[in-house]
Amino acid sequence: MTDFVLPPPAIASVAVAGAAERFAVRRIFCVGRNYAAHARELGNDERDPPFFFTKPADAVVDSGAEIPYPPLTANLHHEIELVVAIGRAGFRIPRADALAHVWGYSVGVDLTRRDLQDQAKKEARPWDWSKAFDRSAPCGPLVPVAKSGHPEKGRIWLAVNGEVRQDGDLAELIWPVADVVSICSEAVELRPGDLIFTGTPAGVGAVQPGDRITGGVDGIGTVEVTIGQPKR
């Protein structure tokens, strides 16, 4: 048994639909600009090869949580996404085999400090402070592949205070799930517990303290969080 100088942190995890057990989270990878309309609204070419950024595992937050408005930003944005949960390890996974490594799917929100991201882009600096902050990855319950299958189309949407802001379809993904898993595995060996946020459709926008965010993906589920007051 290993002794530690400090108590080990709690294991980050995501709920599983219809089960008491939870899915332990190892790492979080996110795909940038994976819907053409969203790429265009940010002023980018719509067929760029996929690129990835990361969030810490403990950025995950269960659906139903209240998330304090984060520090260092005056422009917090929502980005609704299909989330892929990896259940089988693999390195340089062929596209034809990629879906066999998926354990299940969920609905997540990539919360983004857009002003920090814009500044980082202008200065050619990493996006970490704009993406990888506390509670920046709300995630609904995971649905095992045995129940959901592998979604290739279906509505993906997000509303703020009941007003729909993002409304797209999974069929609009520039790089579908199999491509995303395969390409990600070229850079790192994927392991059970890894999550991949697959990109967001057009319509991203700002939220304020008191706003209620709801979103969903047809056949997968929903996610809901409230933005609270900043921590003092």
Side-chain angles (χ1 to χ4, degrees):
M1 184 175 179
T2 304
D3 293 323
F4 297 94
V5 295
L6 295 174
I11 297 173
S13 64
V14 176
V16 175
E21 298 88 353
R22 295 178 64 86
F23 183 91
V25 177
R26 183 171 182 266
R27 297 175 295 187
I28 302 174
F29 301 101
C30 306
V31 183
R33 303 172 196 156
N34 202 20
Y35 286 81
H38 175 58
R40 287 194 296 270
E41 75 180 347
L42 295 182
N44 300 289
D45 182 83
E46 61 187 68
R47 188 58 182 177
D48 284 340
F51 67 92
F52 297 84
F53 56 90
T54 63
K55 292 175 181 274
D58 63 2
V60 291
V61 181
D62 278 346
S63 182
E66 180 174 295
I67 299 173
Y69 194 93
L72 304 181
T73 186
N75 195 18
L76 179 67
H77 274 214
H78 57 76
E79 299 188 4
I80 189 72
E81 313 210 4
L82 175 70
V83 179
V84 176
I86 299 298
R88 177 180 156 199
F91 179 56
R92 294 179 176 166
I93 303 166
R95 185 191 186 283
D97 300 335
L99 296 182
H101 293 258
V102 176
W103 187 89
Y105 295 92
S106 179
V107 185
V109 181
D110 169 16
L111 291 174
T112 301
R113 295 192 277 207
R114 189 72 71 201
D115 41 3
L116 297 191
Q117 185 187 34
D118 290 343
Q119 181 181 356
K121 288 178 180 178
K122 289 178 183 177
E123 299 176 1
R125 292 181 175 178
W127 289 7
D128 298 56
W129 247 216
S130 68
K131 293 286 192 177
F133 54 94
D134 295 340
R135 306 174 189 87
S136 61
C139 200
L142 281 167
V143 180
V145 165
K147 294 183 179 179
S148 68
H150 296 287
E152 297 180 351
K153 60 183 179 179
R155 187 185 183 216
I156 177 170
W157 61 275
L158 180 141
V160 177
N161 301 324
E163 177 187 352
V164 175
R165 291 191 180 179
Q166 294 184 262
D167 203 348
D169 195 286
L170 297 179
E172 299 165 1
L173 281 165
I174 298 172
W175 300 97
V177 170
D179 290 300
V180 167
V181 171
S182 177
I183 294 168
C184 188
S185 77
E186 290 288 327
V188 296
E189 182 177 0
L190 292 174
R191 294 277 190 168
D194 290 340
L195 298 180
I196 305 176
F197 281 58
T198 58
T200 194
V204 300
V207 290
Q208 302 295 333
D211 283 346
R212 177 173 166 264
I213 299 172
T214 54
V217 173
D218 283 358
I220 301 300
T222 59
V223 63
E224 175 183 336
V225 292
T226 300
I227 303 300
Q229 295 297 320
K231 280 194 168 185
R232 301 298 182 187

